[in-house]
Amino acid sequence: MSEAPWLTIIGLGEDGLKGLSAASRTALEAAEIVIGPSRHLALIGDMPCETRAWPVPFSDGIAPLLDLQGRQVVVFASGDPFWFGAGGTLARHLAPEEWQSLPGPSSFSLAANVLGWSLEQVTCHGLHAAPLTRLRPYLAPDSRIIVLLRDGAAVPELAVYLSDEGFGQSEMIVLEALGGSRERVTRVRADALQTGGFDHPVCVAVQVAGEGSALPLASGRPDAWFDADGQITKQPVRAMTLAALAPQRHELLWDIGGGSGSIAIEWLLAHPTCEAISFERRADRAARISANATRLGVDRLSVVEGGAPHALEAQAKPQAVFIGGGLSADLLHWLERHLEPGTRLVANAVTLETESLLLQAQQRRGGSLTRLELSAAEPLGSKRGWKSSYPIVQWSACL
């Protein structure tokens, strides 16, 4: 018979010990040490065992916790520890047999039951330590969002953000201390919320409304979404490039010669598990890429300032690579030598010299060559005519 785990993670609600399950009570009675945020320790009152406040920042508490292995320890977390909670972080440091989790109702579940919202039709976000811009891809009329915020002061900040993005008509339902004696529900329009006065813990449900622009779901978003100095893969070419790159869940992209970051950003928008590194040699463009990524809700984009191939050497190996700038024979040969077999590679060429490089690469490594010729209607005297852009040759290959 296997030994009981030494660590128990208990999801604690705002009603303190009253809401605990029988299993949680049993674990708590057997505990030698109870650890939790000061707020949780205040909810449970005096304990017969030792209690310790979890330090801030959260990471400072990991090593002292691991030193307690062999003793019976309870760690308090809010609600469901594995939904935007501490559970996932703790589990990464422990073997499966070392811990157990006894969850309580999550803030999202409590909020949905107050509002009558079906959770499967709601997007849920934990923004305790993340920027409000993470919401940008989800802001569209009639969308429903539930957001966990760091404290009461973040509520008016959310209202300002929604208003600035053109969604000031959204209804905000502010839910404080759900499930406890201090529970309070406040309904207000985002553009009418003037002051704070909200207490932690707090979450906000948003029924999105307004005239703001919704970020399109398909690849090839309009160029206007990206701040650029002219160095950008234009919308139609970007759509075809993303189609060739074919983002998949949990994949990493190298975006070489990031420019405005549009390719990497759209890769990240494809799915929350996608990752990307954008390489850009110019400092001003690297800063612009980071700003674009943050504004469009994908601040997880990693931006490396430096030229390829030198800047690529210490990075995690990707599943897909796009070369949007700095295409050279040396770079192609370096990638062929260092990338893992099966890596997808897409490169776009505009000049005759870089087009020649892609022709040689296709002869050497196979793959497909596509010539993209685009024209747009523009004024021609009193009428209109077609104005052609420079043709682009795209090489797509699986190495």
Side-chain angles (χ1 to χ4, degrees):
M1 183 176 179
S2 61
E3 294 183 5
W6 65 269
L7 176 65
T8 300
I9 309 167
I10 294 180
L12 191 68
E14 289 303 303
D15 53 357
L17 298 178
K18 295 179 182 178
L20 291 185
S21 65
S24 295
R25 290 181 180 276
T26 299
L28 200 55
E29 289 170 1
E32 300 174 55
I33 302 174
V34 172
I35 308 174
S38 298
R39 181 175 63 85
H40 285 163
L41 297 181
L43 286 172
I44 64 172
D46 293 333
M47 295 290 296
C49 63
E50 179 186 352
T51 60
R52 299 181 185 180
W54 194 281
V56 178
F58 183 85
S59 57
D60 288 352
I62 300 295
L65 173 66
L66 298 179
D67 289 340
L68 298 175
Q69 184 173 1
R71 305 181 69 180
Q72 287 296 305
V73 180
V74 164
V75 169
F76 282 128
S78 294
D80 184 344
F82 285 88
W83 201 358
F84 295 104
T89 301
L90 296 177
R92 285 196 293 271
H93 295 274
L94 299 163
E97 67 275 7
E98 291 185 276
W99 63 273
Q100 63 176 337
S101 178
L102 303 173
S106 71
S107 296
F108 298 114
S109 296
L110 292 171
N113 280 272
V114 169
L115 300 168
W117 288 6
S118 298
L119 272 181
E120 71 273 12
Q121 298 175 1
V122 175
T123 56
C124 299
H125 305 267
L127 301 184
H128 305 90
L132 295 174
T133 51
R134 292 269 181 95
L135 299 176
R136 194 58 187 86
Y138 306 94
L139 295 182
D142 298 324
S143 294
R144 287 177 167 178
I145 300 170
I146 300 177
V147 188
L148 306 184
L149 297 174
R150 68 176 188 274
D151 55 28
V155 176
E157 293 174 11
L158 174 60
V160 170
Y161 175 70
L162 291 171
S163 299
D164 288 347
E165 293 298 318
F167 296 100
Q169 298 175 38
S170 301
E171 182 184 27
M172 294 175 56
I173 304 99
V174 185
L175 304 124
E176 302 167 73
L178 281 172
S181 60
R182 296 186 301 112
E183 179 175 301
R184 184 172 66 150
V185 179
T186 304
R187 293 176 179 266
V188 62
R189 233 174 77 150
D191 55 11
L193 182 60
Q194 302 296 326
T195 59
F198 301 103
D199 292 332
H200 180 74
V202 62
C203 69
V204 178
V206 181
Q207 177 76 57
V208 182
E211 302 300 321
S213 298
L215 187 62
L217 296 177
S219 296
R221 278 85 173 177
D223 295 342
W225 282 98
F226 306 94
D227 179 30
D229 60 1
Q231 188 70 18
I232 183 174
T233 303
K234 296 298 178 66
Q235 179 183 10
V237 177
R238 192 180 336 115
M240 298 192 71
T241 300
L242 266 295
L245 287 168
Q248 298 181 34
R249 290 170 172 82
H250 303 285
E251 287 193 330
L252 171 65
L253 170 75
W254 280 1
D255 177 18
I256 301 174
S260 67
S262 62
I263 292 291
I265 289 170
E266 294 223 36
W267 171 279
L268 294 174
L269 287 169
H271 196 267
T273 64
C274 290
E275 298 180 347
I277 305 173
S278 186
F279 300 91
E280 174 54 56
R281 65 173 66 247
R282 281 180 46 172
D284 59 334
R285 287 178 176 167
R288 184 178 288 109
I289 292 170
S290 293
N292 279 335
T294 298
R295 183 169 48 81
L296 294 178
V298 288
D299 54 284
R300 68 184 187 277
L301 174 61
S302 176
V303 181
V304 175
E305 186 181 332
H310 176 71
L312 312 176
E313 293 174 354
Q315 305 299 328
K317 290 295 191 293
Q319 286 72 50
V321 176
F322 172 63
I323 308 175
L327 178 61
S328 67
D330 288 343
L331 175 57
L332 286 173
H333 286 301
W334 189 95
L335 292 171
E336 291 174 38
R337 291 195 309 271
H338 291 86
L339 293 179
E340 300 290 341
T343 303
R344 304 188 299 281
L345 177 60
V346 176
N348 292 346
V350 178
T351 67
L352 294 174
E353 289 77 9
T354 52
E355 180 179 326
S356 175
L357 292 176
L358 296 188
L359 290 170
Q360 297 171 37
Q362 195 268 344
Q363 291 176 339
R364 188 171 63 249
R365 303 293 306 209
S368 62
L369 282 173
T370 305
R371 184 178 172 91
L372 310 177
E373 298 189 67
L374 302 171
S375 299
E378 292 194 4
L380 184 60
S382 61
K383 302 183 184 301
R384 291 185 301 163
W386 293 106
K387 183 175 181 180
S388 298
S389 301
Y390 285 112
I392 292 174
V393 172
Q394 183 178 93
W395 177 50
S396 177
C398 188
L399 299 180

